Every structure is written in C-alpha cells, then in structure tokens.
Amino acid sequence: SRRYGQYTMNQETTKAKEKPPFDRSNSQDSVDEVSMDDYWNEIDNIKKSSENRQEQEVVVVKEPDVSEGELEEEWLKEAGLSNLFGESAGDPQESMVFLSTLTRTQAAAVQKRVETVSQTLRKKNKQYHIPDVRDIFAQQAESKEKAPDGTESQSARTNENKYQGKDDQASSLVVGEKKLMPLVPEEAPASETDINLEVSFAEQAVNQKESSKDRTQKSKGNDVPLLSFRLPKDKTGTTKIGDLAPQDMKKVCHLALIELTALYDVLGVELKQQKAVKIKTKDSGLFCVPLTVLLEQDQRKVPGTRIPLIFQKLISRIEEGGLETEGLLRIPGAAIRIKNLCQELEATFYEGTFNWESVKQHDAASLLKLFIRELPQPLLSGEYLKAFQAVQNLPTKKQQLQALNLLVLLLPDVNRDTLKALLEFLQRVIDNKEENKMNVKNVAMVMAPNLFMCHALGLKSSEQQEFAMAAGTANTMHLMIKYQKLLWTIPKFLVNQVRKQNTENLKKDRKTMKKLLKKMAYDRDKYDKQDRSTNDADVPQGVIRVQAPHLSKVSMAIQLTEELKASDVLARFLSQESGIAQTLKKGEVFLYEVGGNIGERCLDDDTYMKDLYQLNPNAEWVIKSKPS
C-alpha cells in the first residue's frame, strides 16, 4: 500500500489542525495547512515514479557510524584548521593569523570543536601533538593586547561568555594605523527588514538575545506576513559569489563554515553536518550520475560548461512550451512515458539524435524533478543537507536567511551553479503565476520533496516526522526562491576578515623578506623605498591609475571624487574605444580591485571608488572581462 494514501493524509491533516507542528516564529509565513495538498500530491507522484523505475539500481547507503570526535575532526579540516591536531599538527603559530581574524562567537565555535577532538584523541591514546586550545587563544590574546589598534576583543577572552555589543564587529578593518569602521549609508538606516552584512550573523544573534528577548515572542504566529527583506547599499560595493579570486574564495568558505557553526551554537540548534561517504555510482550517463561526472562529460562536448547540459536542456524544453501553462511543475507526466524517455535520453542524448519535439512540457518538468531527486548525492550536498533541513528550527526568518546564505557559500561549485540555475528558472515560473496558477508557495511545496529527501543518505523517517518536516522544508524552499539574490551575496564581514588575513600575511611576508635582504647585505632602507615607490610614485594623491591591457586606451589616471563610481570609470574607458572594442557592451567588461588586502575582486557598478580606495589604498585597478 502507498505510504501516503488519501486516508492517511486526511488523518495527518486532522492531527496537524489539532496541534500545529511548528509553533515558532518560523511559521510567520508558513504554508497554510489546508494548501499542503500540493506537497503530499508530489510525494505521491514520487512514489509512483519510483515504482515504475524499480529495475534501476537504487543505492541506499547506511549512514556511517562515526563518533562525535571524528565529525569534529572533519569539521576542523573543512574549516582549514587541520594543522591544529593529528599527525600533521605543527606549530600553532601557523594558524595564528587565521584565528586572529575571528569574532568571539567564531572563536568559541572553534574552541568547542578543538576540545572535543582533543578529548577523543586522548581517549584513543593517540601519540599526536594535541595543543591545548586555551594555549592557542591565550597566545592570540597576548598578541592582541600588544596591538595598538584596539582590536583585542575580536577573539580573545573566549573563555568568557561575555558579548558586550557592537564594539566586537568583525567588519572593522585596520589599514596602516587607521581603523576603518563599516560604512552605513545614511539613506539606509538599520531596521528589522534590512539584512546587515557588515556584522557577524552570530554576533547579531547574541546582541538580539541580550537586548530584545521579547521580540521573538511577539513575532510568533501563522498570521504574521513574511517581511520584505532587503540589502542596504554598501558604498564599497556588494561582493557576489564569483567576484573573488579562488584563493580568497577558499578563505571565505572556511570562515563561512565557522560562522554558520557559531550561529547555530548561539541559537541552540544542532548543526548536523554529515561525514562525506563513498557511494557506488555510475561513471557515465545522465540520471543517477554525480554532478561532477556529468560536468566532466559535458565539458568534453562544450568546454567551459558549468551546469549539466541535460539540466539546461530540460529547462529550455519546459520554457519552449510556455511558462503560462496551468499547473506547470505540479501536474506530473505519465509515469510509463517518463520511464521510456529516460531510457531514450540515456541512449541518444550525447549523440544528438534525441527527438526533443516529442517531449511534452509536463513530461520535461517531471524529468527535471527526477534528475534532481536521483542524484547520488543531493543537490544541497551530502555534507550539508541536514544543515539545510535544520534551517527551519532557527527562531526568526532573518536568521534563517542568514544561515541559508552561509550554506550556499559552502556548496561545491557545480552544486551551487546548478542550484542557481534552478532557482532562477523557478522564479520565471512564478513570474507567470497569473496564468499558470503557480505562486511561490505552490512552487516551494512541489519542489521541496525533490530537494530535501534523499534516499542515498538513508534519510528515512516516519509519516509523523515527514509531516513535521513538510511545512518547514517548504518554507525553507520558499525563502530560497524569494531571496535567491541575497543568497549569492558574500557578507561584507567575511570579505573584511579575508582582507585582514591577507594584511597580516603580507606583514609576515615582508618581515621575512627584510630578514632575507639583511642577510644578503642589502640596504634595508633601500628596500623600504622601493616598496613605497611601487605603490604611489607615479600617482598623485587622490588619483588612481586604472589599467585596461585589453583595450586600446591601456591606462588612465582618474581623479577620485566623493561621487565617482565604478560604472563611471568603465564609461570613461568605453567612450574612448574604437573599432572592435567599441562593440563591447555594459556587462562584458568589469573594473577589478587587485592586490593590497585582497587577491582580486570584481566591483559592482555602484561601488564608490573613493570609499573603496580608503579601504584598500595599495590595490591596483584593472578593467577586464570575467573568466567564464
């Protein structure tokens, strides 16, 4: 018998009405229980689909039996801190620069995991070097106390659970002897609808718990509408995923994992990170194939491909049929026909002989959902699927969005790119809701089971548990669709922590270089003069030199003014172009901030150059196209 027969559904719906499963503020825009039919119908359709594909091998992997210590060890590796313990442990000083950039909540999260790992290794009588975490942070505190810039509060005193407010913002940055505080434009005052990207999310959560303990109580209830969250303008420019050089993006990912863990710790929610498991998978084909394998196949056909070709083609086919079709995504294709289409696609897709004209629109939609559902590892990743599911347990919508932002940063590139393409497509479906009758709630309910339930991780649960999960995952899906632009933004406080790491590393490198030069009998003063001359010899104060090696006007000196934006700099170059370069359009070339305290960063059009120059005075400014 089917797991979700109509009788069972009615029973569960009745139970839900008696006792709502989510008596929390995250229900403030929860899907109406009466309208949950779309969700359960989708579950029923998934069941029918799997019955018709029984002959295909379905890999069910038992969740690995790992200790808490092993999970925390894996966490430290993911956070870039594996050199603190184990056989590869070295001098804790190696991690001092990284640890010195952490906020207190981030440092507390690291300390908690290091202590767990240390206890586990001691129990196993491992003969590894196991540093005492108190010593690590004590050294850090000592170095902070000596610092003239007053940044001691960032991560020292982690044993004291004192969160004293906004003096501990990670986004303040020391440049030379000047401490730069985050710029908050006057026209965008902080409010409950603003998403503050300048201050650590976990620190915000601590401040909120201390200053307004009654606010979350007031926001509870199903009848409170979802606030329209927005990002205030940042004068130094918004940083999107894809704007940073790989070496800096790696640092962002390490910090994002620590920040996410700190946020969950502060809010008392368990961060359920999975240990990566090895699964027997197909090494070719289209369905039930890992995204990385698909991408390798596709890149041999179309170099530079970032999203699986079959995924792109299915979306195209749905759109060719018109997004006005009523019940799009909700009405399933015929199960037998879907099964036959899968077999045909497997055999002929790469040969280019598959007849796409014969694929009905609802069949293409069913194939798209099937593709997502049958990935050996979920689109939201095996490591973080449970963390995505736990988002529903965070107290406020704003905190749920903050957690989703950090989780998107942690996804592997191919997962993130594919998810982005999916969410953009879903938004286009919703844009036609007047005709297709698919608003954001309908789409969220239909898609949630396909993204959040994964057979490969053995995430089986009772009907009662699945009912409890239904509204939560549908609401999480709702947030991901509605606020997808926010999710692809890298919080400024993380970028500023990377800037601080780079500045500290540069100082260390310079000290090493000076020692080396001294040993080689070079004049130290001569080196200092050379170092200064590379930065400002040929450029007067208040002027930047912009390089454009691929344009006919190779470089230009530009006077900084209060109102000068990145878009103005681009316009000056493009207005002087002729010939082939004149065909360049807005959006094909970008202004980059290169060097100084960042590796490389693509600037958005609304970046105020004078404000950014103050943040990174040693940067070079280059106009070029984005790498594909």
Side-chain angles (χ1 to χ4, degrees), residues 51 176 179 252 313 330 537-538 552 559:
E51 285 171 357
K179 186 173 180 179
V252 165
K313 188 61 187 174
R330 184 176 65 225
D538 60 339
S552 57
Q559 178 72 47

Side-chain angles (χ1 to χ4, degrees), residues 24-28 208-209 216 219-220 263 266-269 390-400:
R24 285 193 286 279
S25 65
N26 73 334
S27 296
Q28 56 191 281
Q208 183 179 338
K209 283 174 79 173
T216 54
S219 66
K220 287 185 179 182
L263 179 63
V266 166
L267 297 173
V269 174
V391 164
Q392 62 186 287
N393 299 325
L394 301 181
T396 70
K397 286 292 182 191
K398 188 180 282 190
Q399 287 161 347
Q400 290 170 19

Side-chain angles (χ1 to χ4, degrees), residues 250-491:
K250 189 175 181 182
K251 292 172 187 170
V252 165
C253 290
H254 289 157
L255 289 164
L257 176 57
I258 296 171
E259 176 66 18
L260 179 73
T261 308
L263 179 63
Y264 277 49
D265 282 355
V266 166
L267 297 173
V269 174
E270 185 183 356
L271 178 60
K272 295 180 179 179
Q273 186 184 356
Q274 298 284 113
K275 185 169 183 178
V277 292
K278 291 182 180 178
I279 298 176
K280 184 182 176 184
T281 58
K282 291 161 62 179
D283 55 8
S284 65
L286 299 175
F287 297 89
C288 306
V289 177
L291 282 172
T292 49
V293 173
L294 268 175
L295 213 56
E296 285 168 13
Q297 286 176 178
D298 293 346
Q299 286 170 348
R300 288 194 286 270
K301 295 277 183 184
V302 184
T305 299
R306 296 176 63 89
I307 299 159
L309 294 176
I310 181 63
F311 189 84
Q312 294 183 50
K313 188 61 187 174
L314 288 169
I315 286 177
S316 297
R317 184 62 195 141
I318 297 166
E319 294 192 318
E320 283 165 14
L323 295 179
E324 304 83 17
T325 306
E326 190 168 336
L328 191 60
L329 296 176
R330 184 176 65 225
I331 299 171
I336 297 295
R337 204 162 56 233
I338 299 302
K339 175 185 169 184
N340 292 334
L341 283 170
C342 283
Q343 292 171 349
E344 281 184 61
L345 279 166
E346 292 279 8
T348 62
F349 178 72
Y350 286 111
E351 293 173 9
T353 58
F354 181 79
N355 180 15
W356 282 100
E357 296 298 320
S358 66
V359 181
K360 298 177 187 297
Q361 192 182 31
H362 290 298
D363 290 350
S366 290
L367 285 167
L368 181 72
K369 292 187 289 185
L370 181 71
F371 172 86
I372 295 166
R373 202 166 58 244
E374 292 200 346
L375 287 169
Q377 291 282 5
L379 184 58
L380 300 178
S381 86
E383 290 84 354
Y384 297 109
L385 180 63
K386 284 191 174 182
F388 271 98
Q389 291 172 332
V391 164
Q392 62 186 287
N393 299 325
L394 301 181
T396 70
K397 286 292 182 191
K398 188 180 282 190
Q399 287 161 347
Q400 290 170 19
L401 274 173
Q402 291 170 339
L404 286 170
N405 184 196
L406 296 169
L407 281 163
V408 165
L409 290 173
L410 291 170
L411 290 175
D413 289 348
V414 62
N415 296 62
R416 195 194 299 128
D417 292 338
T418 306
L419 177 63
K420 187 172 191 286
L422 175 66
L423 293 177
E424 287 171 349
F425 163 67
L426 296 179
Q427 185 57 56
R428 293 195 294 274
V429 172
I430 293 158
D431 289 342
N432 290 272
K433 64 187 175 188
E434 297 302 325
E435 293 81 19
N436 61 32
K437 311 301 180 193
M438 295 295 292
N439 60 29
V440 66
K441 288 185 179 181
N442 300 133
V443 172
M445 282 189 287
V446 168
M447 295 306 298
N450 293 285
L451 266 78
F452 284 94
M453 294 182 183
C454 179
H455 61 77
L457 293 180
L459 301 179
K460 291 184 176 179
S461 53
S462 67
E463 289 178 12
Q464 191 91 17
Q465 289 171 318
E466 287 193 2
F467 190 91
M469 187 189 292
T473 54
N475 279 318
T476 300
M477 192 76 219
H478 184 164
L479 287 175
M480 290 170 69
I481 297 168
K482 183 165 182 174
Y483 293 104
Q484 53 188 281
K485 288 183 181 176
L486 185 154
L487 299 185
W488 263 260
T489 302
I490 302 174

Side-chain angles (χ1 to χ4, degrees), residues 21 37 51 64 102 127 184 268 359 391 437 500 527 534 592 628:
D37 286 351
E51 285 171 357
L102 302 185
Q127 299 304 306
V184 183
V359 181
V391 164
K437 311 301 180 193
K500 192 171 179 185
Y527 169 74
T534 58
Y592 278 78
S628 57

Side-chain angles (χ1 to χ4, degrees), residues 120-217:
T120 304
L121 293 177
R122 287 191 182 99
K123 281 177 187 173
K124 291 182 176 179
N125 295 317
K126 295 281 187 184
Q127 299 304 306
Y128 297 157
H129 170 70
I130 307 170
D132 189 318
V133 72
R134 288 170 297 181
D135 294 339
I136 295 172
F137 286 105
Q139 291 174 49
Q140 190 182 317
E142 192 178 328
S143 65
K144 290 278 186 183
E145 284 165 10
K146 295 174 185 175
D149 54 33
T151 54
E152 174 269 337
S153 61
Q154 286 301 308
S155 49
R157 311 189 324 271
T158 53
N159 285 327
E160 302 176 33
N161 192 22
K162 295 179 183 178
Y163 301 102
Q164 295 175 356
K166 295 179 181 178
D167 292 335
D168 298 310
Q169 294 175 359
S171 51
S172 61
L173 188 72
V174 176
V175 179
E177 297 299 314
K178 183 180 178 184
K179 186 173 180 179
L180 301 176
M181 295 306 291
L183 295 158
V184 183
E186 290 178 13
E187 66 271 19
S191 76
E192 62 177 324
T193 59
D194 285 348
I195 300 294
N196 185 346
L197 298 181
E198 299 188 344
V199 181
S200 154
F201 297 154
E203 294 287 342
Q204 289 181 49
V206 168
N207 292 335
Q208 183 179 338
K209 283 174 79 173
E210 290 194 342
S211 64
S212 54
K213 290 178 181 176
D214 60 332
R215 188 176 299 172
T216 54
Q217 298 296 322

